[in-house]
């Protein structure tokens, strides 16, 4: 029904007939408040700053009108809620699980968010998701990769991106493919921090090594944010494995590479579990010491060659952040898209209705910026169609080298 605005100036029956429709339209066009919880201060603050830009880019696409084959890009706002706009409320967990718990509760009880997306550190995702479960508020784990997170029987936990068992399997598939081509890969050295991220990563890689016939000659756990890694790097040097497999956040990754240089240890090959090894800060600091390093990932800007939309959205993000999407910021961007799509289909900000819509999600991979085949959650809230890729740092940028259907270049092996 088209409302004649002149009727609103009239009294009597005309006004009475029009006002219910006008009131309903205003009620529908409210904003939808989503909490976003990241480290915005401390050692991981840059991750949080980049995440803010990624979420703001996603919100801009949802709230505006863009001709992209991406859910909610065309048309303004959420049509299922009368064009309601997304409003983001950011919270700083400072990489502290207990601070994350308190901030999640504040977002829910004081800011009245209908959903939460986060959190970078898996250890923080543990406590945030528990609070969301208690209050029956959906939580989307945008970039946490610990496999145990989706295996806790939570109803309101969802993850669209791969976890470390999926990532590690891609690594071992890559090793197997190289061996078939005649490359010598027999021994592995695992190097991981002591939080849930590093521990889960190591456990997955130990099992895969045993199943695939690789010998783990070092399995070194270190204290996260350690001031020194000298003793640990001496052990790595003594082991001299064919492949070093670190699971470290940015500051630890930088310290690892610097310590390796100081002790004269050059790894034959490095295949990293992302985290710090996907971050520009690490390569700005020590990139010249690790040319050819390989990291697993969820995203590759190479995809823009097949889907121009990816490049255009990357430019939107780059205008805000001064850098390209990486493995984290791309997952953060998609996290908000997936959550907003569910809220739109739920046509509600009620937690249970949003949860039901998330359960029913079935988003074709072509409608994402990722190399995934689709987004569809299993009974534990995990998207099992999030296909990982392996990226190699060559000439100051990452190029996709695996799997076969996604690669744009052959792997340089061994590392130069």
């Amino acid at each position: 029904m088209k409302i004649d605005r002149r009727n609103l100036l009239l009294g009597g029956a005309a006004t009475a007939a029009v006002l219910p429709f006008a009131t309903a339209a205003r009620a529908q066009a409210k904003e939808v408040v989503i909490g976003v919880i990241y480290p915005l201060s401390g050692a991981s603050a840059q991750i949080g700053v980049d995440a803010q830009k990624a979420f703001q880019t996603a919100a801009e696409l949802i709230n505006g009108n863009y001709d992209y084959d991406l859910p909610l890009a065309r048309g303004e706002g959420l049509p299922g809620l009368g064009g309601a706009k997304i409003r983001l409320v950011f919270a700083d967990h400072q990489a502290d699980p207990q601070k994350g718990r308190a901030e999640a509760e504040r977002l829910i009880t004081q800011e009245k968010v209908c959903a939460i997306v986060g959190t970078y550190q898996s250890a923080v995702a543990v406590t945030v998701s528990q609070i969301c479960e208690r209050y029956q508020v959906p939580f989307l784990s945008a970039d946490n990769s610990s496999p145990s997170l989706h295996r806790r029987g939570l109803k309101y936990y969802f993850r669209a991106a791969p976890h470390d068992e999926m990532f590690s399997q891609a690594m071992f598939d890559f090793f197997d493919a190289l061996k078939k081509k005649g490359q010598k890969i027999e021994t592995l050295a695992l190097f991981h921090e002591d939080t849930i991220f590093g521990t889960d990563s190591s456990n997955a890689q130990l099992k895969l090594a045993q199943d695939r016939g690789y010998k783990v000659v070092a399995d070194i756990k270190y204290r996260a944010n350690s001031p020194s890694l000298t003793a640990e790097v001496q052990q790595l040097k003594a082991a001299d494995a064919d492949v070093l497999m670190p699971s470290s956040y940015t500051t630890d990754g930088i310290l690892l590479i610097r310590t390796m240089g100081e002790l004269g240890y050059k790894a034959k090959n490095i295949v990293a579990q992302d985290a710090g090894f996907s971050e520009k800060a690490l390569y700005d600091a020590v990139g010249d010491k690790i040319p050819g390093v390989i990291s697993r990932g969820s995203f590759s800007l190479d995809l823009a060659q097949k889907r121009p939309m990816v490049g255009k959205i990357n430019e939107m993000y780059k205008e805000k952040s001064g850098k390209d999407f990486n493995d984290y910021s791309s997952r953060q961007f998609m996290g908000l898209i997936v959550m907003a799509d569910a809220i739109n289909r739920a046509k509600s900000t009620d937690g249970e209705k949003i949860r039901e819509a998330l359960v029913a999600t079935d988003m074709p991979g072509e409608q994402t910026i990722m190399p995934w085949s689709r987004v569809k959650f299993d009974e534990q809230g995990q998207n099992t169609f999030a296909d990982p890729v392996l990226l190699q740092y060559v000439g100051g940028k990452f190029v996709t080298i695996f799997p076969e259907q996604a690669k744009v270049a052959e792997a340089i092996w061994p590392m130069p």
Side-chain angles (χ1 to χ4, degrees):
M1 174 181 177
K2 184 177 180 181
I3 298 173
D4 188 340
R5 293 177 60 85
R6 291 172 299 177
N7 287 342
L8 298 179
L9 301 175
L10 302 176
T15 305
V18 170
L19 279 177
F21 290 95
T23 303
R26 284 197 301 272
Q28 276 193 309
K30 62 184 180 181
E31 61 186 12
V32 172
V33 186
I34 297 176
V36 181
I37 183 163
Y38 275 84
L40 299 173
S41 60
S44 301
Q46 189 59 53
I47 291 286
V49 171
D50 292 344
Q52 279 186 310
K53 306 304 182 187
F55 287 111
Q56 287 165 352
T57 303
E60 182 179 325
L61 276 163
I62 294 164
N63 291 339
N65 184 14
Y66 294 84
D67 189 21
Y68 297 145
D69 193 14
L70 189 81
L72 304 173
R74 295 186 177 96
E76 296 185 5
L78 307 182
L81 284 162
K85 301 294 179 72
I86 296 290
R87 180 166 69 86
L88 304 175
V89 179
F90 293 93
D92 179 12
H93 63 58
Q94 301 173 21
D96 180 345
Q98 297 314 313
K99 182 69 173 177
R101 181 195 299 274
E103 285 298 283
E105 189 154 19
R106 181 184 67 80
L107 287 172
I108 294 167
T109 60
Q110 297 180 32
E111 300 289 350
K112 308 299 182 184
V113 302
C114 67
I116 291 179
V117 185
T119 59
Y120 182 56
Q121 282 96 347
S122 291
V124 179
V126 171
T127 57
V128 170
S129 58
Q130 289 168 345
I131 291 297
C132 289
E133 191 76 9
R134 186 203 305 172
Y135 285 96
Q136 299 184 348
V137 169
F139 171 69
L140 196 136
S141 203
D143 45 15
N144 310 116
S145 60
S146 296
S148 57
L149 285 172
H150 71 278
R151 294 172 179 155
R152 295 171 297 152
L154 303 183
K155 288 177 58 181
Y156 290 82
Y157 177 90
F158 296 86
R159 173 164 48 195
H163 56 73
D164 284 334
E165 286 176 7
M166 299 166 71
F167 284 127
S168 295
Q169 183 170 326
M171 295 178 189
F172 281 83
D173 288 347
F174 174 63
F175 297 158
D176 290 350
L178 285 175
K179 287 179 70 175
K180 286 180 181 178
K181 294 179 180 179
Q183 297 287 354
K184 175 184 172 290
I185 307 174
E186 296 175 354
T187 58
L188 310 175
L190 310 185
F191 180 81
H192 56 97
E193 50 114 72
D194 60 355
T195 73
I196 185 174
F197 161 59
T199 302
D200 277 3
S201 174
S202 171
N203 289 338
Q205 291 172 348
L206 282 169
K207 184 177 186 307
L208 281 161
Q210 183 177 12
D211 293 347
R212 303 285 185 97
Y214 296 88
K215 184 179 181 181
V216 176
V217 293
D219 179 18
I220 299 171
K221 179 169 70 173
Y222 69 90
R223 183 163 54 89
N225 298 312
S226 176
S228 172
L229 293 174
T230 299
E232 291 84 355
V233 171
Q234 286 173 336
Q235 294 177 63
L236 291 175
K237 184 177 181 180
D240 194 28
D242 294 328
V243 186
L244 168 61
M245 303 180 72
S247 299
S248 303
Y249 291 117
T250 307
T251 53
D252 293 339
I254 292 171
L255 181 60
L256 167 64
I257 301 304
R258 284 179 172 162
T259 307
M260 287 168 59
E262 291 166 2
L263 297 180
Y265 168 49
K266 185 182 185 306
K268 296 172 184 174
N269 298 283
I270 299 176
V271 179
Q273 191 73 279
D274 189 58
F277 286 84
S278 72
E279 278 302 303
K280 185 177 182 295
L282 184 143
Y283 294 95
D284 287 345
V286 295
D288 60 322
K289 295 180 174 61
I290 46 172
V293 67
I294 294 169
S295 176
R296 56 80 167 169
S298 309
F299 173 79
S300 171
L301 197 52
D302 301 330
L303 190 61
Q305 297 174 21
K306 299 177 182 178
R307 291 184 217 157
M309 168 187 75
V310 174
K312 293 174 182 176
I313 295 173
N314 179 68
E315 286 303 314
M316 291 179 63
Y317 171 71
K318 196 170 184 177
E319 285 181 14
K320 296 180 185 296
S321 66
K323 56 186 75 173
D324 291 319
F325 273 134
N326 66 10
D327 191 45
Y328 278 105
S329 50
S330 61
R331 284 186 281 170
Q332 292 151 3
F333 172 91
M334 279 310 305
L336 184 59
I337 296 294
V338 170
M339 181 62 81
D341 173 68
I343 295 170
N344 180 63
R345 287 184 287 107
K347 299 181 180 180
S348 172
T349 55
D350 175 74
E352 176 59 23
K353 290 181 180 178
I354 297 171
R355 190 194 74 81
E356 290 172 357
L358 282 163
V359 169
T361 296
D362 192 356
M363 186 184 295
E366 297 77 24
Q367 294 181 15
T368 75
I369 65 168
M370 314 300 276
W372 304 340
S373 51
R374 66 190 325 104
V375 179
K376 186 176 176 65
F377 299 108
D378 65 13
E379 65 278 0
Q380 295 179 310
Q382 173 64 44
N383 176 24
T384 56
F385 297 91
D387 310 304
V389 293
L390 294 186
L391 310 165
Q392 187 163 32
Y393 188 69
V394 180
K397 66 178 183 178
F398 278 111
V399 295
T400 307
I401 57 165
F402 192 82
E404 191 69 28
Q405 67 270 19
K407 75 177 186 181
V408 299
E410 293 293 335
I412 301 171
W413 191 277
M415 283 170 52

